[in-house]
Amino acid sequence: MPVLRFPVDTRRCQLLGLTGSAALAAGGTAAGALPVRDVPAPHSGAAVLGLAAAYFGLVLLVAAWALLGRTARGPAPPSLRSLLLTLALWAAPLLLTPPLFSRDVYSYLAQGAMVDAGIDVYAHGPSRLGGPLTAEVAPVWRHTPTPYGPVFLGCASALAEFARAGVVTGVLGMRLVALLGVALMALCLPALARRCGADPRTAVWLGGLNPLVLLHLVGGAHNDAVMLGLLGAGLVAALGRWPAVGAALVTLAALVKAPAALGLPAVALLRARRGSGRHPRLRAALVTGGTAAATTVAATALAGTGYGWTSALDTPVSPGNWSLTSTLGRLTGAALRSAGSGLAEFAVPAWHLTGLAATAVAVLVSWKRHHLRRPVYAVGLSLGAVAVLGPAIRPWYVLWGVFLIAATAPGGAVRPRRAAALLSGVLALVVMPSGFAPDHNQLLIAVGGSTLGVLALWCAYRVAARAADRAPLPEALPPEAARPEALPPAVPRPEERPPTASCPKVPPPAAPRPQDSPPAPDSPARDPHRPLGSTACGSP
């Protein structure tokens, strides 16, 4: 880690991150996922300035997060209250901006309106709804049924009235729901860290202040915030004294997005720890499964969506998805086509199956190694494997694993945290604020804005370093003051110690001369256990 020539404190990091967040919010008004009627021309002045400002702010925000992590691991780390205040400060400019980095929030609103209108969202896409909301949905998802569970669809249906008042009002309502999920995540992180023996400050920094949380859960208003908030609350309850509440909350999280169901085995294991008698794990699994089933029935009945979500989990992957297995499949298919092979069309499905097999192996290995001592950590590793090795990936999917790894990784497990931090910083820069793939001109503008951000950071560093170099050193003390104070009096040698009141000093006996006679018979005999030259009081 490079050594900085000036002190980096929490306040400077807060100011730098706030500047980056404000620049990102300002750029998002022209370069974000705007409603269709408000989108400027791709190469207009507003679009160019907006994209450059957005990437300028992105670089500052990521740098502020990295520096804050350095202070959190330093000798004087910030308090938890200061870190939570930083999260609120950095998120504030993003609350009123248009959606950023994705148009999924428009799909949420359209699906909520479909549920409110009695349309089966598991059989039809938003195109069945028609109207202005359908025009806002990304074309690739207009004819695709939803994969989300009844809990989230119930929330989206409750916001249908806001969407009817206007698209902007609906977006703000959906962002409020996501913000509640982020707040629940931030509150659960310290509790999970304390119960799992991790550092709460590092957990909040990596899992709550993560740029992906600010950009995609707050700025993009993704429902992953609700899923992770409920999952974290359920695991906190299971680690405490309420395993039944934990099972219900984790089930609700899975009824937002299905991957959260991986938390149920951890709830069962935590419940089994407190069990007694015969077969505690079997009884814990049965009780946890019964609680999950009852919660599913109740939530589905309240939402009124039916159980079609169980068959909609195989929603097709977008053709241009850049997940690891999809990218390898496309490269393999291109190589087979150039070789004239007829197997090119099977390349992507084959790699998807390989990825699913690798995911299953990674999940089994994680549970085998950590299910006894760290079951919640095993959930985090499993969710990370699902996100990275699955057939589809989005930057915010990485938060499924990062959220729990940040709070539950063992104190000596530095590599998982470093890998999560590095991956988060890189993925924060790879998606355009509009949510669409960039053309060459937009890519150059983004690189230019990022370069301006790096130059601004370098200039700020040089100014701060020169100010630190010119700061007056503490004045040297005068010679008199620099001298040590009078030394304590030397301890007298044994022969110089003053006689005590109880035992007067006895002069040492004179050396006998050869002509001297032996001692008189009435002189006291010397104690054979007393050393020579000593008196009865023990003083020489």
Side-chain angles (χ1 to χ4, degrees), residues 105-203:
V105 65
Y106 300 118
S107 297
Y108 302 161
L109 293 174
Q111 291 159 2
M114 292 172 66
V115 173
D116 191 60
I119 302 175
D120 187 359
V121 292
Y122 299 120
H124 307 285
S127 61
R128 186 66 175 263
L129 178 67
L133 274 179
T134 301
E136 306 295 345
V137 178
V140 69
W141 303 121
R142 288 179 186 172
H143 304 281
T144 305
T146 181
Y148 307 128
V151 170
F152 177 72
L153 291 176
C155 293
S157 176
L159 294 174
E161 192 66 30
F162 292 94
R164 291 193 194 97
V167 174
V168 175
T169 308
V171 168
L172 293 178
M174 196 60 69
R175 181 169 284 154
L176 178 61
V177 173
L179 194 63
L180 292 175
V182 171
L184 189 56
M185 290 171 58
L187 293 176
C188 292
L189 281 168
L192 283 172
R194 292 190 188 99
R195 294 180 184 274
C196 297
D199 181 17
R201 296 181 181 88
T202 303

Side-chain angles (χ1 to χ4, degrees), residues 37-469:
R37 66 177 185 276
D38 298 330
V39 176
H43 304 299
S44 63
V48 171
L49 290 176
L51 184 56
Y55 268 87
F56 175 84
L58 269 177
V59 170
L60 297 188
L61 184 60
V62 173
W65 176 67
L67 291 174
L68 185 62
R70 184 181 184 129
T71 63
R73 298 186 299 272
S79 63
L80 276 176
R81 181 179 179 182
S82 178
L83 290 174
L84 295 176
L85 177 63
T86 304
L87 175 60
L89 194 66
W90 291 358
L94 303 175
L95 298 181
L96 300 178
T97 61
L100 295 173
F101 305 102
S102 171
R103 302 188 69 85
D104 284 1
V105 65
Y106 300 118
S107 297
Y108 302 161
L109 293 174
Q111 291 159 2
M114 292 172 66
V115 173
D116 191 60
I119 302 175
D120 187 359
V121 292
Y122 299 120
H124 307 285
S127 61
R128 186 66 175 263
L129 178 67
L133 274 179
T134 301
E136 306 295 345
V137 178
V140 69
W141 303 121
R142 288 179 186 172
H143 304 281
T144 305
T146 181
Y148 307 128
V151 170
F152 177 72
L153 291 176
C155 293
S157 176
L159 294 174
E161 192 66 30
F162 292 94
R164 291 193 194 97
V167 174
V168 175
T169 308
V171 168
L172 293 178
M174 196 60 69
R175 181 169 284 154
L176 178 61
V177 173
L179 194 63
L180 292 175
V182 171
L184 189 56
M185 290 171 58
L187 293 176
C188 292
L189 281 168
L192 283 172
R194 292 190 188 99
R195 294 180 184 274
C196 297
D199 181 17
R201 296 181 181 88
T202 303
V204 172
W205 171 76
L206 181 57
L209 282 162
N210 195 301
L212 298 179
V213 172
L214 295 165
L215 303 181
H216 299 289
L217 302 191
V218 177
H222 284 283
N223 56 9
D224 301 72
V226 181
M227 179 193 78
L228 292 176
L230 291 172
L231 176 62
L235 293 174
V236 169
L239 285 166
R241 299 180 179 179
W242 305 281
V245 176
L249 289 173
V250 172
T251 304
L252 292 177
L255 294 177
V256 175
K257 297 189 81 169
L262 288 172
L264 288 174
V267 174
L269 286 171
L270 292 171
R271 187 186 188 102
R273 287 181 179 179
R274 297 177 177 83
S276 59
R278 300 180 61 183
H279 309 296
R281 291 189 181 182
L282 178 60
R283 287 190 289 109
L286 292 176
V287 173
T288 301
T291 304
T295 304
T296 301
V297 172
T300 304
L302 289 175
T305 59
Y307 294 90
W309 58 273
T310 56
S311 60
L313 295 177
D314 59 346
T315 299
V317 180
S318 57
N321 192 275
W322 42 272
S323 69
L324 177 62
T325 54
S326 295
T327 302
L328 290 174
R330 288 193 294 271
L331 292 175
T332 304
L336 290 174
R337 277 191 294 271
S338 64
S341 173
L343 300 176
E345 59 179 324
F346 302 106
V348 172
W351 274 107
H352 284 173
L353 290 176
T354 304
L356 292 176
T359 301
V361 171
V363 170
L364 290 176
V365 170
S366 299
W367 281 98
K368 183 178 180 180
R369 293 186 59 184
H370 302 287
H371 74 282
L372 291 178
R373 298 183 60 187
R374 301 183 183 91
V376 182
Y377 183 47
V379 177
L381 294 176
S382 301
L383 287 172
V386 170
V388 173
L389 300 176
I393 190 172
R394 299 287 187 272
W396 54 93
Y397 288 6
V398 177
L399 290 172
W400 299 353
V402 171
F403 171 66
L404 293 180
I405 291 173
T408 62
V414 179
R415 290 183 179 178
R417 289 191 177 94
R418 285 183 178 176
L422 180 61
L423 187 61
S424 300
V426 171
L427 290 179
L429 301 172
V430 300
V431 180
M432 301 294 288
S434 64
F436 292 117
D439 58 24
H440 295 290
N441 292 330
Q442 291 173 331
L443 190 60
L444 290 176
I445 296 168
V447 171
S450 302
T451 304
L452 289 176
V454 173
L455 290 176
L457 290 172
W458 175 250
C459 293
Y461 169 75
R462 295 295 299 173
V463 170
R466 288 181 180 179
D469 292 341

